[in-house]
Amino acid sequence: MTPRSASEIAAATPADRDRWVDALRVGSLLVVILGHWLMVAITPDGRITNALTVVPSLQPLTWVLQVMPLFFLVGGVAHAHTLESLERRRPQARGRYAAFFRARAERLLRPTLAFLAVWVALGVVADLSGLTSRPGDAGRLARDALVMVPQLLWFVGIYLGACAFAPLMRDLHRRWGLRVVLALVVLACLVDAVRFGGGPELVGNLNFALVWLALHQLGFAWRDGLLTTGRGWVMAVVGFGAMGLAITFGPYPTSMVGLPGEAVSNMAPPTAALLAQGLGICGLAVVLRPVMARVLARPGAWRTVVVAGPYAMTAFLWHLTALMTVLLAMRGLGIGQPPVASWAWWLTRPLLFAVLAAVTAVLVAVFVRFDRGPRVAAAAVDEQRRWVDPVAAVSAAVLFFGILIISIVGVDVLGNRPVFFLVGDVTPVVGFAVLAAGLLLLRTTRPRRNTPSSRQPLRL
């Protein structure tokens, strides 16, 4: 029987479980959701905009609201646990990488594919009904929504990339420890020096790997007890201090999230300023760890985390859908919004958030089943297919690019409007073709069904 009461959940929790890590995972996604709800707005002429662009004085809020670094930190901790468990279950190295990546990918892609299926269907309906080709506000809003809402999938693509590198980065951590983080930080700064020093703009894309892998690498250090409270204070002071210097004297914008119309974004590609902010906020998480461990030792507080945990990823995927639904309904009903950052705007945010939470809860109730699929089976211990691990690595690269393309060009497959990506224009159809190729490659790495050990569950 699944424990329900706070005391039962607390009693069922292993004594060595790091509850603060679980709370950070849930809390970081919740902050992202609330941040998006706060920032996204529709102008009087029917354009989707960002409150931070309308009122630049709000941009310093992103110094604490940009919490994606925390999710990569937590991901590193989780991946360290999973890799250690897999090594115990699979003494033989062959097939271990494929088993690890397939498990993580299927866990991420199940809810993501359900999300994409719904939005592709919405795009088809909008095209066939003529909505996307309609002149004026309605057509523009429909076209913008089909591009804007799937943009949140950038996180899925980048995180999947971190999963693909996790076994290698874990090995490097075991050999070099925190020096790996330092090396990644130095390389990210060098990339920015080349990019902003007159070098090719394309080189900045290397920081998609360097910045997020540096933050993910901190999770391995957390797992092994290397991030002491003293080091946490150093990370916080140096990180936020470096961020302040970078945005004051460097070419970096104030906002730690991307804004429409910016010549330079701290997010795409990630910059050294964003890395500094990430180190700072991860440092704060380290500093707060002893205090929060005591707080989460209370059954009531821990029950909140446990209950919310299974819904966090589904809520993340669907919260912008809820936002667009509510904003378009308000516009259709003639309900206007107060000017951004006015007293009326601030006072109405709690009411708007309550409505958005209710709509998101409905969507989560419908789609959370895709985040609770069957447990992923471990690959056969006697795996003899030499090609399994290399194919899994190739599938990781193809899936990474497929998801990123879709996050940039959107899901309007019938409209199929081209958008620039890295070196040239691509369309939604191209993005989905690349994603499908990655899924097919991943499928070939599944364990052989006639091996009894392949039916042993891998608990992640």
Side-chain angles (χ1 to χ4, degrees):
M1 181 178 297
T2 303
R4 295 291 182 181
S5 71
S7 58
E8 288 175 325
I9 290 175
T13 302
D16 61 346
R17 188 177 185 96
D18 194 331
R19 301 184 182 194
W20 182 219
V21 167
D22 292 287
L24 284 173
R25 174 185 175 271
V26 175
S28 60
L29 289 181
L30 176 61
V31 171
V32 169
I33 290 170
L34 294 177
H36 285 165
W37 286 352
L38 183 68
M39 291 186 296
V40 178
I42 296 181
T43 63
D45 63 347
R47 296 181 184 274
I48 299 175
T49 187
N50 193 308
L52 303 180
T53 301
V54 178
V55 184
S57 61
L58 294 177
Q59 292 180 15
L61 290 175
T62 63
W63 300 347
V64 291
L65 291 180
Q66 175 51 280
V67 292
M68 276 305 178
L70 293 176
F71 199 92
F72 281 86
L73 166 74
V74 170
V77 178
H79 292 157
H81 279 281
T82 303
L83 287 167
E84 291 166 10
S85 174
L86 192 56
E87 287 168 0
R88 290 192 298 268
R89 294 168 179 269
R90 293 184 48 84
Q92 180 179 323
R94 183 181 296 168
R96 190 188 296 161
Y97 177 87
F100 170 79
F101 179 73
R102 185 174 58 251
R104 308 314 296 172
E106 291 184 2
R107 179 83 176 268
L108 279 170
L109 292 176
R110 278 195 307 267
T112 299
L113 292 176
F115 169 84
L116 285 173
V118 171
W119 271 93
V120 167
L122 290 174
V124 169
V125 170
D127 279 314
L128 294 179
S129 66
L131 179 59
T132 54
S133 58
R134 187 179 303 173
D137 295 355
R140 181 172 57 247
L141 277 173
R143 293 190 298 271
D144 289 349
L146 292 173
V147 174
M148 188 206 78
V149 174
Q151 283 178 354
L152 56 79
L153 296 183
W154 75 266
F155 161 72
V156 175
I158 296 296
Y159 191 74
L160 199 62
C163 294
F165 278 100
L168 169 64
M169 302 309 293
R170 178 64 172 163
D171 289 342
L172 292 176
H173 169 77
R174 283 173 167 169
R175 183 171 182 179
W176 302 105
L178 286 172
R179 284 173 286 184
V180 179
V181 178
L182 180 60
L184 291 169
V185 170
V186 171
L187 288 173
C189 293
L190 288 176
V191 166
D192 270 13
V194 172
R195 175 188 174 193
F196 295 113
E201 187 73 16
L202 193 63
V203 75
N205 290 301
L206 291 173
N207 273 350
F208 278 113
L210 296 173
V211 168
W212 295 117
L213 285 179
L215 297 167
H216 182 269
Q217 199 74 9
L218 290 173
F220 297 149
W222 179 300
R223 164 66 175 160
D224 291 346
L226 297 179
L227 299 186
T228 61
T229 301
R231 284 175 173 170
W233 279 115
V234 171
M235 289 167 58
V237 173
V238 173
F240 283 118
M243 180 202 70
L245 292 173
I247 62 178
T248 302
F249 301 105
Y252 305 102
T254 301
S255 173
M256 291 298 122
V257 300
L259 299 177
E262 277 187 323
V264 175
S265 168
N266 280 317
M267 283 289 291
T271 63
L274 176 67
L275 177 55
Q277 184 269 342
L279 291 173
I281 202 166
C282 288
L284 288 180
V286 173
V287 170
L288 291 172
R289 188 180 183 184
V291 175
M292 294 308 300
R294 291 192 293 271
V295 171
L296 293 168
R298 302 170 185 169
W302 178 233
R303 183 181 188 278
T304 301
V305 175
V306 172
V307 170
Y311 303 98
M313 186 62 186
T314 305
F316 169 78
L317 286 171
W318 292 97
H319 76 281
L320 284 183
T321 303
L323 177 62
M324 290 306 303
T325 301
V326 171
L327 291 180
L328 291 175
M330 290 172 60
R331 188 171 180 82
L333 294 172
I335 302 174
Q337 291 201 61
V340 174
S342 66
W343 281 108
W345 187 80
W346 284 112
L347 290 174
T348 55
R349 293 311 89 183
L351 176 61
L352 177 62
F353 284 4
V355 174
L356 291 171
V359 176
T360 302
V362 172
L363 292 170
V364 168
V366 172
F367 292 102
V368 72
R369 68 193 66 184
F370 296 101
D371 201 15
R372 295 177 176 176
R375 288 189 179 275
V376 181
V381 175
D382 62 344
E383 179 67 73
Q384 296 299 316
R385 298 174 297 173
R386 296 178 180 275
W387 50 265
V388 167
D389 289 333
V391 169
V394 173
S395 73
V398 177
L399 288 168
F400 170 80
F401 281 107
I403 294 173
L404 281 191
I405 291 173
I406 293 170
S407 74
I408 290 173
V409 303
V411 295
D412 189 5
V413 293
L414 293 186
N416 211 31
R417 299 170 183 85
V419 177
F420 183 82
F421 176 74
L422 289 182
V423 295
D425 288 343
V426 292
T427 63
V429 168
V430 171
F432 279 101
V434 175
L435 177 60
L439 292 171
L440 289 173
L441 284 171
L442 186 65
R443 185 178 180 84
T444 65
T445 69
R446 287 183 175 180
R448 293 165 296 181
R449 297 191 179 190
N450 61 349
T451 305
S453 57
S454 69
R455 293 191 291 271
Q456 298 174 359
L458 173 64
R459 298 184 182 274
L460 302 178

